[in-house]
Protein backbone atom coordinates (compact mmCIF):
# COMPACT_ATOMS: atom_id res chain seq x y z
CA UNK A 1 0.00 0.00 0.00
CA UNK A 2 1.41 3.38 -1.05
CA UNK A 3 0.68 6.68 0.67
CA UNK A 4 1.66 10.31 0.42
CA UNK A 5 4.74 11.42 2.35
CA UNK A 6 4.37 11.59 6.11
CA UNK A 7 4.26 14.85 8.03
CA UNK A 8 5.52 15.48 11.53
CA UNK A 9 4.35 18.68 13.17
CA UNK A 10 5.95 20.56 16.03
CA UNK A 11 3.43 22.51 18.04
CA UNK A 12 3.70 25.44 20.41
CA UNK A 13 0.77 27.15 22.10
CA UNK A 14 -1.76 25.06 20.20
CA UNK A 15 -0.51 25.90 16.68
CA UNK A 16 1.97 24.29 14.30
CA UNK A 17 5.35 25.95 14.58
CA UNK A 18 7.37 23.62 12.32
CA UNK A 19 6.66 20.84 9.83
CA UNK A 20 8.88 17.96 8.71
CA UNK A 21 8.29 15.73 5.66
CA UNK A 22 9.35 12.08 5.81
CA UNK A 23 9.57 9.26 3.26
CA UNK A 24 9.38 5.75 4.71
CA UNK A 25 8.99 2.09 3.78
CA UNK A 26 8.28 -1.24 5.45
CA UNK A 27 9.84 -4.17 3.56
CA UNK A 28 9.59 -7.95 4.05
CA UNK A 29 12.66 -10.16 3.85
CA UNK A 30 11.30 -11.72 0.63
CA UNK A 31 11.51 -8.27 -0.97
CA UNK A 32 7.81 -7.44 -0.80
CA UNK A 33 7.08 -3.78 -0.10
CA UNK A 34 4.45 -3.94 2.65
CA UNK A 35 3.67 -0.24 2.96
CA UNK A 36 5.32 3.00 1.90
CA UNK A 37 5.01 6.74 2.24
CA UNK A 38 6.41 9.24 -0.25
CA UNK A 39 9.00 8.83 -3.01
CA UNK A 40 11.24 5.79 -2.59
CA UNK A 41 13.12 6.14 -5.88
CA UNK A 42 15.33 9.06 -4.83
CA UNK A 43 18.74 7.77 -3.65
CA UNK A 44 19.46 8.44 0.01
CA UNK A 45 22.78 8.46 1.83
CA UNK A 46 22.10 6.15 4.79
CA UNK A 47 25.12 7.48 6.65
CA UNK A 48 25.62 5.81 10.04
CA UNK A 49 22.41 3.80 9.75
CA UNK A 50 24.36 1.09 7.87
CA UNK A 51 27.07 0.44 10.45
CA UNK A 52 25.78 -3.07 11.13
CA UNK A 53 26.02 -3.75 7.40
CA UNK A 54 29.57 -2.37 7.33
CA UNK A 55 30.46 -4.77 10.16
CA UNK A 56 29.12 -7.83 8.32
CA UNK A 57 32.27 -8.66 6.32
CA UNK A 58 34.40 -8.13 9.44
CA UNK A 59 32.39 -10.81 11.22
CA UNK A 60 32.47 -13.03 8.13
CA UNK A 61 36.26 -12.77 7.96
CA UNK A 62 36.52 -14.35 11.41
CA UNK A 63 38.15 -11.24 12.89
CA UNK A 64 35.78 -10.88 15.84
CA UNK A 65 36.34 -14.50 16.87
CA UNK A 66 40.07 -14.37 16.17
CA UNK A 67 40.64 -11.29 18.32
CA UNK A 68 38.22 -12.39 21.02
CA UNK A 69 35.74 -9.53 20.69
CA UNK A 70 32.92 -9.69 23.22
CA UNK A 71 29.29 -9.01 22.35
CA UNK A 72 29.66 -5.51 23.79
CA UNK A 73 32.67 -4.87 21.56
CA UNK A 74 30.86 -6.20 18.49
CA UNK A 75 27.91 -3.93 19.32
CA UNK A 76 30.27 -0.96 19.45
CA UNK A 77 31.32 -1.72 15.86
CA UNK A 78 27.71 -0.83 14.92
CA UNK A 79 27.54 2.30 17.05
CA UNK A 80 27.23 6.03 16.81
CA UNK A 81 28.20 6.39 20.43
CA UNK A 82 28.20 9.43 22.69
CA UNK A 83 31.82 9.20 23.81
CA UNK A 84 31.02 8.23 27.38
CA UNK A 85 33.69 6.53 29.47
CA UNK A 86 32.47 2.99 28.78
CA UNK A 87 32.52 3.61 25.02
CA UNK A 88 36.06 4.96 25.05
CA UNK A 89 37.31 2.21 27.37
CA UNK A 90 35.74 -0.44 25.15
CA UNK A 91 37.39 0.98 22.04
CA UNK A 92 40.72 0.89 23.85
CA UNK A 93 40.25 -2.76 24.83
CA UNK A 94 39.51 -3.61 21.19
CA UNK A 95 42.58 -1.73 20.00
CA UNK A 96 44.68 -3.62 22.56
CA UNK A 97 43.33 -6.92 21.26
CA UNK A 98 44.31 -6.15 17.66
CA UNK A 99 47.68 -4.64 18.58
CA UNK A 100 46.85 -1.15 17.38
CA UNK A 101 46.57 2.29 19.00
CA UNK A 102 44.31 5.30 18.80
CA UNK A 103 46.72 6.77 16.25
CA UNK A 104 45.82 4.02 13.77
CA UNK A 105 42.19 5.18 13.66
CA UNK A 106 41.36 7.41 10.68
CA UNK A 107 38.00 8.78 11.81
CA UNK A 108 39.22 12.11 13.17
CA UNK A 109 38.42 13.39 16.66
CA UNK A 110 35.72 15.51 18.24
CA UNK A 111 34.46 16.18 21.74
CA UNK A 112 32.07 13.54 23.11
CA UNK A 113 28.55 14.25 21.91
CA UNK A 114 27.26 13.58 25.41
CA UNK A 115 27.74 16.95 27.08
CA UNK A 116 28.40 15.47 30.53
CA UNK A 117 31.17 13.31 29.09
CA UNK A 118 32.72 16.30 27.33
CA UNK A 119 32.62 18.36 30.55
CA UNK A 120 34.19 15.50 32.52
CA UNK A 121 37.00 15.17 29.99
CA UNK A 122 37.66 18.91 30.06
CA UNK A 123 37.57 18.97 33.87
CA UNK A 124 40.41 16.44 33.86
CA UNK A 125 42.43 18.80 31.70
CA UNK A 126 42.22 16.44 28.74
CA UNK A 127 41.26 16.87 25.12
CA UNK A 128 39.43 14.31 22.98
CA UNK A 129 41.22 11.92 20.68
CA UNK A 130 39.92 9.62 17.96
CA UNK A 131 38.53 7.14 20.47
CA UNK A 132 35.93 9.76 21.40
CA UNK A 133 34.68 10.00 17.82
CA UNK A 134 31.16 8.58 17.61
CA UNK A 135 32.36 6.23 14.83
CA UNK A 136 35.47 4.92 16.60
CA UNK A 137 33.93 1.50 17.23
CA UNK A 138 33.16 1.07 13.54
CA UNK A 139 36.69 2.12 12.63
CA UNK A 140 38.23 -0.26 15.15
CA UNK A 141 36.21 -3.03 13.53
CA UNK A 142 37.58 -1.99 10.15
CA UNK A 143 41.13 -2.10 11.53
CA UNK A 144 40.47 -5.60 12.86
CA UNK A 145 39.11 -6.62 9.47
CA UNK A 146 42.21 -5.27 7.72
CA UNK A 147 44.52 -7.06 10.14
CA UNK A 148 42.60 -10.31 9.70
CA UNK A 149 42.94 -10.34 5.90
CA UNK A 150 46.57 -9.10 5.96
CA UNK A 151 45.60 -5.83 4.27
CA UNK A 152 47.35 -2.54 5.09
CA UNK A 153 45.84 -0.88 8.11
CA UNK A 154 46.94 2.53 6.86
CA UNK A 155 44.41 3.96 4.44
CA UNK A 156 41.65 1.50 5.33
CA UNK A 157 39.09 4.29 4.78
CA UNK A 158 39.86 4.63 1.06
CA UNK A 159 37.24 3.33 -1.34
CA UNK A 160 39.76 1.12 -3.17
CA UNK A 161 41.06 -0.50 0.06
CA UNK A 162 40.26 -4.23 0.38
CA UNK A 163 38.17 -3.60 3.50
CA UNK A 164 35.98 -1.03 1.75
CA UNK A 165 35.69 -3.23 -1.34
CA UNK A 166 34.41 -6.08 0.83
CA UNK A 167 31.97 -3.74 2.55
CA UNK A 168 30.70 -2.46 -0.81
CA UNK A 169 30.19 -6.02 -2.03
CA UNK A 170 28.30 -7.02 1.12
CA UNK A 171 26.14 -3.90 0.94
CA UNK A 172 25.41 -4.47 -2.76
CA UNK A 173 24.27 -8.01 -1.99
CA UNK A 174 22.14 -7.06 1.00
CA UNK A 175 20.56 -4.03 -0.72
CA UNK A 176 20.39 -5.66 -4.17
CA UNK A 177 21.90 -2.56 -5.74
CA UNK A 178 24.74 -2.16 -8.25
CA UNK A 179 27.20 -0.19 -6.14
CA UNK A 180 29.36 0.61 -9.17
CA UNK A 181 26.59 2.93 -10.36
CA UNK A 182 25.79 4.48 -6.97
CA UNK A 183 26.89 7.96 -5.98
CA UNK A 184 29.28 7.89 -3.05
CA UNK A 185 31.08 10.28 -0.75
CA UNK A 186 33.33 10.19 2.29
CA UNK A 187 31.12 10.16 5.36
CA UNK A 188 31.65 12.40 8.37
CA UNK A 189 34.18 9.86 9.65
CA UNK A 190 35.88 9.66 6.20
CA UNK A 191 34.83 6.07 5.41
CA UNK A 192 32.78 5.77 2.18
CA UNK A 193 28.99 6.00 2.16
CA UNK A 194 26.87 5.17 -0.90
CA UNK A 195 23.50 6.63 -1.91
CA UNK A 196 20.77 4.01 -2.43
CA UNK A 197 16.98 4.04 -2.82
CA UNK A 198 15.11 3.88 0.47
CA UNK A 199 13.27 0.63 -0.30
CA UNK A 200 16.58 -1.13 -0.99
CA UNK A 201 17.87 0.11 2.37
CA UNK A 202 14.76 -1.32 4.02
CA UNK A 203 15.33 -4.62 2.19
CA UNK A 204 18.86 -4.90 3.59
CA UNK A 205 17.55 -4.62 7.14
CA UNK A 206 14.71 -7.02 6.43
CA UNK A 207 17.37 -9.55 5.40
CA UNK A 208 19.32 -8.67 8.54
CA UNK A 209 16.15 -9.44 10.53
CA UNK A 210 15.54 -12.68 8.65
CA UNK A 211 18.77 -13.98 7.06
CA UNK A 212 17.37 -17.46 6.35
CA UNK A 213 17.82 -17.11 2.58
CA UNK A 214 21.42 -15.89 2.81
CA UNK A 215 24.56 -18.00 2.72
CA UNK A 216 25.34 -19.94 5.93
CA UNK A 217 28.30 -17.66 6.66
CA UNK A 218 26.21 -14.52 6.26
CA UNK A 219 23.32 -15.99 8.23
CA UNK A 220 25.64 -16.55 11.18
CA UNK A 221 27.21 -13.09 10.82
CA UNK A 222 23.77 -11.45 10.87
CA UNK A 223 22.76 -13.43 13.94
CA UNK A 224 26.03 -12.61 15.72
CA UNK A 225 25.63 -8.89 15.08
CA UNK A 226 21.94 -8.84 15.96
CA UNK A 227 22.45 -10.60 19.28
CA UNK A 228 25.32 -8.27 20.14
CA UNK A 229 23.38 -5.05 19.55
CA UNK A 230 20.17 -6.09 21.31
CA UNK A 231 22.10 -7.41 24.30
CA UNK A 232 24.12 -4.19 24.56
CA UNK A 233 21.93 -1.30 23.36
CA UNK A 234 23.92 1.21 25.40
CA UNK A 235 26.94 0.52 23.22
CA UNK A 236 24.94 1.37 20.08
CA UNK A 237 24.25 4.96 21.21
CA UNK A 238 24.34 6.05 24.86
CA UNK A 239 22.58 8.00 27.58
CA UNK A 240 19.31 9.62 26.52
CA UNK A 241 19.53 8.35 22.93
CA UNK A 242 16.48 6.98 21.13
CA UNK A 243 18.26 3.89 19.76
CA UNK A 244 19.40 2.84 23.22
CA UNK A 245 16.17 3.76 25.01
CA UNK A 246 13.78 2.09 22.56
CA UNK A 247 15.85 -1.10 22.30
CA UNK A 248 15.91 -1.15 26.08
CA UNK A 249 12.10 -1.01 26.11
CA UNK A 250 11.57 -3.58 23.34
CA UNK A 251 14.32 -5.95 24.41
CA UNK A 252 15.57 -8.33 21.73
CA UNK A 253 12.61 -7.72 19.40
CA UNK A 254 14.05 -4.80 17.40
CA UNK A 255 17.38 -3.37 16.29
CA UNK A 256 17.27 0.39 15.67
CA UNK A 257 19.93 2.63 14.20
CA UNK A 258 20.05 6.31 13.38
CA UNK A 259 21.94 7.87 10.50
CA UNK A 260 22.87 11.51 10.01
CA UNK A 261 20.50 13.85 8.18
CA UNK A 262 17.30 12.26 9.40
CA UNK A 263 17.78 8.61 8.41
CA UNK A 264 16.54 5.72 10.57
CA UNK A 265 16.39 1.96 10.09
CA UNK A 266 14.93 -0.97 12.01
CA UNK A 267 15.22 -4.76 11.79
CA UNK A 268 12.39 -6.83 13.31
CA UNK A 269 13.15 -10.58 13.28
CA UNK A 270 9.85 -11.96 14.57
CA UNK A 271 7.98 -10.15 11.78
CA UNK A 272 10.74 -10.62 9.17
CA UNK A 273 10.55 -6.91 8.40
CA UNK A 274 12.88 -4.01 7.80
CA UNK A 275 12.01 -0.32 8.08
CA UNK A 276 13.85 2.59 6.49
CA UNK A 277 12.95 6.26 6.57
CA UNK A 278 14.38 9.64 5.66
CA UNK A 279 13.36 13.04 6.98
CA UNK A 280 13.85 15.36 4.02
CA UNK A 281 15.15 18.30 6.05
CA UNK A 282 17.51 16.06 8.06
CA UNK A 283 15.73 16.45 11.43
CA UNK A 284 16.43 13.51 13.72
CA UNK A 285 13.58 14.50 16.06
CA UNK A 286 11.08 13.91 13.25
CA UNK A 287 12.72 10.64 12.21
CA UNK A 288 12.45 9.29 15.75
CA UNK A 289 8.78 10.29 15.96
CA UNK A 290 7.98 8.46 12.72
CA UNK A 291 9.95 5.38 13.73
CA UNK A 292 7.88 5.07 16.90
CA UNK A 293 4.69 5.39 14.85
CA UNK A 294 5.89 2.70 12.42
CA UNK A 295 6.82 0.33 15.24
CA UNK A 296 3.27 0.76 16.49
CA UNK A 297 2.00 0.29 12.95
CA UNK A 298 3.58 -3.15 12.51
CA UNK A 299 2.44 -4.21 16.00
CA UNK A 300 5.81 -4.89 17.57
CA UNK A 301 4.99 -2.59 20.50
CA UNK A 302 1.90 -4.57 21.53
CA UNK A 303 2.06 -5.64 25.15
CA UNK A 304 4.42 -2.82 26.10
CA UNK A 305 3.15 -0.36 28.70
CA UNK A 306 1.81 2.91 27.32
CA UNK A 307 3.58 4.62 30.20
CA UNK A 308 6.88 3.58 28.61
CA UNK A 309 5.98 4.33 25.00
CA UNK A 310 3.78 7.43 25.15
CA UNK A 311 6.71 9.84 25.71
CA UNK A 312 8.06 8.68 22.33
CA UNK A 313 4.68 8.88 20.58
CA UNK A 314 3.89 12.44 21.59
CA UNK A 315 7.29 13.87 22.42
CA UNK A 316 7.00 16.77 24.86
CA UNK A 317 9.16 19.83 24.34
CA UNK A 318 10.36 21.64 27.44
CA UNK A 319 12.40 24.78 27.98
CA UNK A 320 15.41 25.27 30.23
CA UNK A 321 13.09 25.70 33.21
CA UNK A 322 11.43 22.37 32.37
CA UNK A 323 8.18 24.06 31.36
CA UNK A 324 6.14 22.23 28.74
CA UNK A 325 6.22 24.37 25.59
CA UNK A 326 4.92 22.07 22.84
CA UNK A 327 4.99 18.60 21.29
CA UNK A 328 6.34 16.61 18.35
CA UNK A 329 3.49 14.70 16.69
CA UNK A 330 3.26 12.10 13.93
CA UNK A 331 -0.11 10.72 12.82
CA UNK A 332 -0.18 7.77 10.41
CA UNK A 333 -3.98 7.52 10.31
Amino acid sequence: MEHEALTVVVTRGGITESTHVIHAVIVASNGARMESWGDLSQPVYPRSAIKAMQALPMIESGAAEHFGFTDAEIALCCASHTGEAIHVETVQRMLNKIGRSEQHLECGCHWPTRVDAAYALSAEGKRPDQRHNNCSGKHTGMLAHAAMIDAPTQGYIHIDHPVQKRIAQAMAEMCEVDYDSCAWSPDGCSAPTWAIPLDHLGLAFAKFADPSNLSPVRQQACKTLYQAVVRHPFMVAGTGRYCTDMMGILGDRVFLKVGAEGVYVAAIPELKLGIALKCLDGATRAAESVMTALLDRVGITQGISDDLLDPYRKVPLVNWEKRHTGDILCDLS
Side-chain angles (χ1 to χ4, degrees):
M1 186 179 300
E2 297 180 357
H3 309 278
E4 296 295 322
L6 289 161
T7 300
V8 170
V9 297
V10 181
T11 67
R12 183 185 295 267
I15 68 168
T16 297
E17 183 175 36
S18 298
T19 302
H20 305 286
V21 178
I22 297 92
H23 295 172
V25 65
I26 303 170
V27 185
S29 58
N30 63 6
R33 188 187 298 175
M34 307 304 291
E35 199 165 7
S36 66
W37 294 262
D39 179 9
L40 304 184
S41 64
Q42 184 66 32
V44 169
Y45 281 114
R47 307 292 297 274
S48 288
I50 59 167
K51 285 180 176 175
M53 298 293 123
Q54 291 171 305
L56 264 180
M58 183 273 290
I59 300 294
E60 292 171 349
S61 75
E65 183 177 5
H66 176 79
F67 292 112
F69 287 169
T70 65
D71 277 353
E73 291 163 350
I74 292 171
L76 198 66
C77 293
C78 307
S80 298
H81 65 74
T82 46
E84 296 173 73
I86 191 170
H87 299 128
V88 178
E89 292 163 3
T90 303
V91 168
Q92 186 58 59
R93 285 197 299 271
M94 295 170 70
L95 289 169
N96 292 343
K97 288 180 178 181
I98 63 176
R100 301 297 188 275
S101 72
E102 171 268 331
Q103 294 180 347
H104 290 95
L105 297 172
E106 297 179 3
C107 52
C109 65
H110 59 68
W111 286 96
T113 55
R114 177 69 181 172
V115 173
D116 291 351
Y119 287 164
L121 192 65
S122 179
E124 294 175 6
K126 298 178 181 178
R127 296 189 62 80
D129 58 43
Q130 295 189 99
R131 296 171 303 167
H132 297 88
N133 186 299
N134 76 96
C135 297
S136 61
K138 176 182 82 172
H139 280 252
T140 304
M142 290 177 176
L143 277 176
H145 187 181
M148 189 65 190
I149 63 175
D150 293 323
T153 52
Q154 186 174 7
Y156 68 86
I157 58 171
H158 296 154
I159 195 167
D160 59 353
H161 188 278
V163 165
Q164 300 305 330
K165 287 182 176 181
R166 289 185 175 210
I167 289 171
Q169 181 179 355
M171 286 294 303
E173 293 167 357
M174 293 293 284
C175 297
E176 297 186 10
V177 169
D178 177 10
Y179 261 41
D180 290 336
S181 64
C182 293
W184 75 278
S185 171
D187 208 337
C189 66
S190 293
T193 184
W194 292 264
I196 57 177
L198 202 60
D199 54 347
H200 288 263
L201 179 61
L203 173 61
F205 281 88
K207 291 179 180 180
F208 184 54
D210 172 30
S212 57
N213 291 323
L214 305 179
S215 70
V217 171
R218 183 147 295 166
Q219 284 185 44
Q220 187 55 53
C222 287
K223 292 175 182 177
T224 296
L225 283 164
Y226 188 88
Q227 289 303 313
V229 293
V230 297
R231 288 172 179 167
H232 298 277
F234 192 84
M235 288 298 177
V236 175
T239 302
R241 295 278 300 283
Y242 180 87
C243 300
T244 292
D245 292 350
M246 190 60 71
M247 285 196 287
I249 291 170
L250 296 175
D252 63 357
R253 303 177 74 186
V254 176
F255 167 60
L256 295 165
K257 186 67 186 70
V258 68
E261 299 298 327
V263 176
Y264 241 102
V265 297
I268 310 173
E270 67 187 77
L271 300 179
K272 300 181 180 181
L273 295 176
I275 298 174
L277 62 90
K278 164 71 175 177
C279 180
L280 298 192
D281 65 6
T284 298
R285 66 180 183 178
E288 292 173 350
S289 179
V290 171
M291 180 56 77
T292 303
L294 293 177
L295 293 174
D296 282 337
R297 184 82 159 194
V298 299
I300 199 66
T301 57
Q302 289 182 2
I304 305 296
S305 166
D306 287 339
D307 289 341
L308 290 175
L309 289 171
D310 282 350
Y312 301 95
R313 291 173 174 143
K314 182 179 180 181
V315 182
L317 298 175
V318 296
N319 63 17
W320 292 109
E321 205 174 30
K322 308 303 180 185
R323 296 179 184 272
H324 182 219
T325 61
D327 297 283
I328 304 172
L329 302 167
C330 173
D331 183 5
L332 296 185
S333 59

